[in-house]
């Protein structure tokens, strides 16, 4: 017993030591990016046999239950009207984004869906400006223009008329950007897991109503082992597991490195799409993907010199990411206990200029 106890203690110390190393946390961020990249292909596959609203109902309903089971003390201790109000507001925007993105993937390819969703990260400073939170920095405008030119090449890859799936995906990216601005200015100083729980619960309610109003329940034959495994992967790995892992890992790495590693989500989405036969890369499509990714990288690396207080900085898109808005808020927390909502505030502040007193 003594030897076994000593061995277990040594193993625990080694594990904790590993979790504190930068290289291991970089691997965790890459793993999350790959998981989210794979999720585009998985979503494309399961939407062929499962209704969109029902799929999202199961995904966010299961994630809410797991989150409540794991973080119930923090949710209970932070139960207040302001927390619930902000969580519901975030859930409304995030839910709209997810519905548009998921309907979009029904009509477009996983690779296009991945890259067009990624456009949200360069739209954040523009949305912040439109909502009166300061003019965007010059590099943010350039990054947005580069990505939007790339998005134009992607959506016009097959000429006109515009593919409805691409249009829905771009509309979803706007809602992702708006959600990020809101969490930066409304969620600051609030507990991330309490906010995320109410956000996920709100999404569950929204898509539940949508399912009742416009969809029939899926047929029994749709519950194949493959689809059941896909649902478990989306709910437990992508929506909950990657969120928890990313929130931790991004506190342990250089913010710019975190940004670039997180940005691998979009290229990996294309790689999986090509590998499984959903995508054919044309020169125009490839050029569009490169420009979108260049804009994302520029929006992160190009503003490194404009970072806020020490310990803050960008950490790149997470879809969706998920991908809850806090994990994809693209700024490194000062400590592992820092609310990602406060982190999002630092990112938005860094990407915009403050209005003058006369404005």
């Amino acid at each position: 017993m003594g030897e076994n106890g000593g061995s277990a203690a040594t193993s625990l110390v080694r594990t904790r030591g590993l979790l504190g190393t930068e290289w291991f946390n970089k691997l965790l961020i890459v793993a999350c990016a790959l998981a989210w990249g794979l999720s585009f292909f998985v979503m494309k596959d399961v939407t062929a046999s499962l209704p969109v609203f029902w799929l999202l109902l199961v995904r966010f309903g299961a994630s809410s239950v797991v989150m409540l089971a794991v973080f119930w003390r923090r949710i209970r201790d932070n139960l207040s009207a302001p927390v619930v109000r902000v969580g519901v507001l975030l859930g409304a925007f995030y839910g709209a984004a997810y519905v548009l993105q998921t309907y979009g993937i029904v009509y477009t390819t996983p690779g296009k869906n991945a890259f067009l969703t990624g456009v949200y990260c360069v739209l954040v400073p523009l949305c912040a400006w439109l909502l009166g939170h300061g003019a965007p920095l010059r590099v943010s405008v350039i990054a947005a223009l580069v990505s939007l030119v790339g998005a134009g090449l992607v959506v016009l890859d097959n000429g006109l008329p515009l593919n409805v799936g691409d249009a829905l995906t771009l509309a979803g990216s706007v809602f992702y950007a708006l959600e990020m601005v809101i969490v930066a200015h409304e969620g600051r100083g609030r507990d991330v897991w309490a906010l995320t729980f109410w956000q996920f619960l709100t999404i569950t309610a929204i898509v539940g109503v949508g399912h009742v109003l416009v969809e029939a329940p899926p047929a029994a034959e749709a519950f194949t082992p493959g689809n059941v495994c896909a649902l478990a992967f989306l709910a437990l790995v992508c929506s909950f597991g990657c969120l928890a892992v990313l929130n931790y890992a991004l506190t342990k790495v250089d913010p710019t490195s975190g940004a670039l590693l997180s940005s691998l989500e979009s290229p990996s989405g294309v790689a999986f799409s090509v590998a499984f036969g959903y995508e054919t890369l044309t020169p125009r499509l490839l050029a569009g993907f490169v420009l979108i990714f260049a804009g994302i990288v520029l929006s992160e690396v190009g503003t490194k010199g404009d970072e806020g207080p020490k310990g803050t900085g960008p950490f790149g898109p997470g879809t969706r990411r998920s991908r809850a808005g806090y994990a994809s808020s693209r700024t490194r927390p000062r400590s592992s206990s820092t609310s990602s909502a406060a982190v999002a505030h630092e990112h938005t502040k860094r990407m915009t200029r403050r209005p003058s007193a006369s404005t």
Side-chain angles (χ1 to χ4, degrees), residues 195-218:
L195 282 175
T196 306
F197 170 73
W198 291 109
Q199 182 184 27
F200 278 20
L201 199 63
T202 301
I203 297 172
T204 302
I206 291 172
V207 297
V209 171
H211 169 64
V212 171
L213 292 178
V214 303
E215 294 175 343

Side-chain angles (χ1 to χ4, degrees), residues 250-327:
L250 289 169
T251 69
K252 302 295 182 181
V253 303
D254 173 75
T256 302
S257 298
L260 298 178
L261 294 174
S262 299
S263 298
L264 294 175
E265 175 189 354
S266 296
S268 66
V270 173
F272 285 119
S273 184
V274 171
F276 289 100
Y278 279 110
E279 203 92 39
T280 300
L281 290 179
T282 64
R284 178 185 291 182
L285 189 60
L286 184 59
F289 288 159
V290 169
L291 286 174
I292 291 173
F293 190 62
I296 293 171
V297 173
L298 180 61
S299 72
E300 301 296 347
V301 180
T303 57
K304 185 177 180 182
D306 299 301
E307 291 178 5
K310 183 179 180 181
T312 65
F315 60 67
T319 76
R320 328 129 348 24
R321 56 202 293 242
S322 229
R323 111 196 151 73
Y326 314 104

Side-chain angles (χ1 to χ4, degrees), residues 129 157 191 237 251 274 314:
W129 173 52
D157 181 53
D191 184 83
V237 176
T251 69
V274 171

Side-chain angles (χ1 to χ4, degrees), residues 173-184:
S173 71
V174 174
F175 277 93
Y176 280 127
L178 289 170
E179 187 263 357
M180 187 169 168
V181 175
I182 292 170
V183 72

